[in-house]
Amino acid sequence: MYSHRRTVALFFLTFSLFGIGEAAPKQCRCLYGQSCWPNQSAFAALSRQISQPLINPVPPASACYPASSPSGDCAAVLTNFQDGLWRADQPGAMQSPAFETYTLRNGTIEGCYSNTTLGLPCLQGNVPPVGVDARTVGDVQAAVVFARKNNLRLVIKNSGHDYLGRSAGRGGFMLWTHHLKERSFNARFIPQGAPRSQRKTYQGELLAHQSSPCLILFIKSSGHLGSGVQWGEAYDYVNQQGRFILGGLSLDGTVGAAGGWILGGGHSTFSSTFGFGVDNVLEFKAVLADGKFVTVNAYQNTDLFWAMRGGGGGTFGVLTSVTYQTHPIFPFAQSALTAAFATPSIAQSVLTEFVKLQPKLADLGWGGFTFITPAGIQINYVAPNIDVAKANATFSPFADFVLNATQGAAQVGYTSFANFPDYFNVVFTGSPPQVGFPTELTARLLSRSMAERNPAKVAQAILAINDTVGAFSVAGGASSKPDPDAMALHPSMRKAVTNVMASVVWPEGSSGAVVQQQIEVLKKKTQILDRITTDSAAYLNEASLYEKDFKKSFFGSHYPKLRSIKAKYDPQSLFVVPRGVASDEWDSELRCRL
């Protein structure tokens, strides 16, 4: 039916999805296997409109099941299963395999596992069976129009770095943006629609150029990135231009630079110096639900510009590219500390002091990541435009406190870097795997006021998780300066200093009962972390699917305006994702309207 070598495998994997000939109820999306699903003629017509053959995404482990993928390379799967770059290159792979699986109503889990000795069948699970490998804006438009015309559940996937399940959808139609790799650099950028006679200050990077009777305003160096560009690629490219770009940090830079990261806000180790990702956006390009290709900035589609800066991925349209403000390259220093806790009282003492330190570090432009357990702590912080001596001066009081509290069971070190790529290549390559195993997350934003007024309470709550907790100091400083209502980003992000995150993990192929048990553990961890907040605010890109009130946790007071903007640009909710704007108006599978 589709032009792809895995047609037979597709049939094998998806046969169990739905009853043959089942129709889609009214007000429901049409899913694969139902009688409403587009026929061969319809897909043939779509194929003529796009630049690449249609794809049939399958779970990555399917290559290890000869009956479903006779030509697959199982050895490559086993070698790369926990490699984020490899996973990003597989249309059916999510960075967390938990979202490749699907739980039936009876609690049974369908999936496809790399461990073939489990004796479980290889099934399609939650991976959409058909899709478009978009290489051009025209491909995106054709896919969107096709999905809308045929009432399909549209799933937008980039690198698969998603912990709310937004990149997967059982029986859906995938739009894979991973190969939209366009990139360009403009030393002097003017947003489309900007009036040349109007003086406009843009992030303090404005240049005035008087070359005619009209005053022409230029923005200093911008980087234009297609939605398939990953941060590792973006860093290399922008560095070649002699500039720095604020972005996400993950092993090998696998996170998409122009996808869910930026649409959810985009935090970074350098946010206290340069703001959040959304503070550095100059312009979006996107395809709307009606197939129209639009420019979104401070002068065109301004309400959508407000919404897309923090309103969440896969919600208002298909993001095809982002133009970012860039910054001069800078040297910086790193402070690293590890310590072991011999007793609970030592852990409480050190962590309380660490929490108290957060606002000060943010004010000084420091950011970093910390991993905490009841047995110890590992800290890595950086700050631009300082040397080792200044780093020592900033951190030595805290380091001395830790050395004294732990009776010397601590180590501290300082390192200087000439530029960001040097740091990235040392810290974010060759580390232990971060992906390729089933996991789900929960998190809460630690506000400045809580860190200052109740550090002991915060420390107590973190230790009560009784497991590894990540404390990512990715806010405060410059990211706290903009007006909280200037864009859709949760207002509490502007008041935060640290994102505190916990997780659960389970063995591949676990039963539904085991997975549900871990989900209940995750819910309890959320309740514990809620003690460090006053409003249950969370960064929606690193959060839980099981929030009691996702509107409050992910969007706060901005939700009503977001809902109104979505109604304007996507009245039929073609773009609907788990815990996204208007998702509560659909059933739990986002298939039927309530």
Side-chain angles (χ1 to χ4, degrees):
M1 180 176 178
Y2 313 116
S3 177
H4 194 283
R5 65 182 177 86
R6 289 183 174 175
T7 302
V8 175
L10 174 66
F11 177 81
F12 175 86
L13 288 166
T14 59
F15 182 81
S16 65
L17 281 179
F18 308 102
I20 298 298
E22 179 185 350
K26 293 181 179 179
Q27 299 298 310
C28 292
R29 298 292 189 218
C30 178
L31 303 180
Y32 178 82
Q34 295 179 325
S35 59
C36 57
W37 188 256
N39 59 26
Q40 183 175 356
S41 176
F43 277 105
L46 173 62
S47 294
R48 291 191 291 269
Q49 300 176 47
I50 56 180
S51 65
Q52 302 294 312
L54 287 165
I55 56 173
N56 299 136
V58 293
S62 64
C64 295
Y65 294 78
S68 61
S69 184
S71 61
D73 186 349
C74 183
V77 170
L78 298 180
T79 299
N80 297 295
F81 205 68
Q82 294 185 327
D83 184 318
L85 289 172
W86 180 83
R87 283 190 159 270
D89 285 339
Q90 314 304 312
M94 312 301 156
Q95 298 293 329
S96 170
F99 298 102
E100 297 169 8
T101 64
Y102 178 81
T103 303
L104 300 172
R105 292 182 180 178
N106 64 7
T108 302
I109 295 180
E110 287 189 4
C112 187
Y113 309 106
S114 63
N115 183 1
T116 58
T117 65
L118 294 171
L120 298 171
C122 177
L123 300 171
Q124 188 78 4
N126 207 34
V127 178
V130 185
V132 169
D133 177 7
R135 306 292 177 104
T136 68
V137 169
D139 290 344
V140 175
Q141 291 176 296
V144 167
V145 170
F146 183 81
R148 188 189 74 244
K149 178 181 177 181
N150 291 283
N151 191 33
L152 306 181
R153 180 181 176 188
L154 180 62
V155 176
I156 304 168
K157 179 180 181 289
N158 187 349
S159 66
H161 261 289
D162 181 79
Y163 292 95
L164 291 176
R166 295 171 295 189
S167 298
R170 185 174 174 84
F173 177 68
M174 178 184 289
L175 174 50
W176 195 30
T177 63
H178 179 62
H179 289 121
L180 290 172
K181 296 290 190 180
E182 173 192 0
R183 66 201 83 174
S184 62
F185 186 80
N186 190 342
R188 294 184 172 184
F189 173 78
I190 304 174
Q192 286 191 24
R196 295 185 174 184
S197 60
Q198 178 182 344
R199 193 177 185 94
K200 175 70 178 178
T201 301
Y202 230 108
Q203 297 290 331
E205 291 285 320
L206 188 66
L207 288 177
H209 177 64
Q210 188 73 50
S211 61
S212 68
C214 295
L215 181 66
I216 303 177
L217 301 175
F218 297 106
I219 309 302
K220 276 187 181 178
S221 307
S222 66
H224 178 82
L225 304 174
S227 62
V229 176
Q230 293 166 273
W231 275 119
E233 298 169 321
Y235 294 143
D236 288 343
Y237 176 74
V238 174
N239 186 66
Q240 291 168 9
Q241 318 305 318
R243 301 288 288 184
F244 166 80
I245 186 170
L246 179 93
L249 296 177
S250 65
L251 187 63
D252 296 324
T254 55
V255 173
W261 180 85
I262 186 61
L263 294 172
H267 68 51
S268 167
T269 293
F270 296 95
S271 288
S272 60
T273 298
F274 300 108
F276 295 120
V278 288
D279 299 323
N280 288 267
V281 170
L282 303 179
E283 192 166 271
F284 294 114
K285 300 282 190 179
V287 173
L288 303 181
D290 59 3
K292 184 179 180 182
F293 180 55
V294 297
T295 296
V296 182
N297 58 32
Y299 305 97
Q300 296 183 342
N301 300 299
T302 56
D303 52 353
L304 195 56
F305 190 50
W306 183 92
M308 291 178 70
R309 289 177 293 165
T315 300
F316 299 95
V318 182
L319 181 61
T320 61
S321 67
V322 179
T323 300
Y324 285 100
Q325 174 184 346
T326 65
H327 306 272
I329 289 177
F330 51 84
F332 61 96
Q334 168 189 269
S335 296
L337 181 148
T338 62
F341 304 145
T343 67
S345 61
I346 292 175
Q348 176 69 31
S349 174
V350 170
L351 194 52
T352 298
E353 198 68 18
F354 172 75
V355 173
K356 288 166 60 177
L357 187 62
Q358 298 305 293
K360 176 184 177 181
L361 291 177
D363 290 345
L364 293 174
W366 286 83
F369 50 92
T370 301
F371 296 98
I372 304 156
T373 73
I377 189 169
Q378 294 181 331
I379 300 173
N380 185 303
Y381 272 72
V382 295
N385 297 309
I386 68 166
D387 55 22
V388 166
K390 290 183 179 179
N392 194 333
T394 299
F395 264 85
S396 59
F398 174 69
D400 291 344
F401 177 89
V402 175
L403 284 165
N404 181 61
T406 62
Q407 297 181 349
Q411 293 181 322
V412 62
Y414 305 95
T415 310
S416 62
F417 294 94
N419 53 56
F420 173 74
D422 288 352
Y423 165 74
F424 184 82
N425 291 332
V426 169
V427 178
F428 291 96
T429 57
S431 300
Q434 295 179 329
V435 300
F437 47 85
T439 183
E440 291 196 38
L441 310 179
T442 188
R444 285 291 181 263
L445 295 172
L446 172 62
S447 69
R448 183 187 188 97
S449 62
M450 282 292 290
E452 291 175 336
R453 299 175 185 177
N454 299 292
K457 178 181 177 181
V458 173
Q460 186 179 46
I462 290 174
L463 291 170
I465 294 293
N466 199 33
D467 199 351
T468 301
V469 173
F472 301 100
S473 301
V474 291
S479 62
S480 67
K481 304 304 182 184
D483 179 356
D485 295 323
M487 59 188 72
L489 184 71
H490 196 308
S492 290
M493 289 284 284
R494 301 296 183 189
K495 303 174 184 178
V497 288
T498 305
N499 185 40
V500 182
M501 187 172 68
S503 65
V504 292
V505 179
W506 56 88
E508 183 188 49
S510 293
S511 68
V514 170
V515 173
Q516 186 57 45
Q517 183 182 47
Q518 288 302 100
I519 289 173
E520 293 304 317
V521 170
L522 189 70
K523 292 178 180 178
K524 291 179 181 178
K525 290 183 176 183
T526 304
Q527 293 173 356
I528 293 172
L529 288 183
D530 225 11
R531 300 174 194 170
I532 74 172
T533 74
T534 57
D535 58 0
S536 300
Y539 174 55
L540 66 86
N541 282 340
E542 295 168 345
S544 171
L545 277 167
Y546 315 104
E547 292 286 351
K548 291 182 178 179
D549 185 351
F550 79 90
K551 298 178 185 178
K552 176 183 178 182
S553 295
F554 297 164
F555 307 106
S557 59
H558 290 162
Y559 187 84
K561 184 175 179 179
L562 283 165
R563 184 63 188 91
S564 176
I565 294 172
K566 182 171 178 61
K568 173 182 175 181
Y569 288 95
D570 184 21
Q572 300 303 315
S573 281
L574 175 65
F575 307 113
V576 57
V577 296
R579 303 301 181 265
V581 175
S583 63
D584 60 317
E585 299 165 21
W586 294 74
D587 64 15
S588 60
E589 296 186 358
L590 304 182
R591 179 189 175 196
C592 301
R593 284 186 180 274
L594 300 176

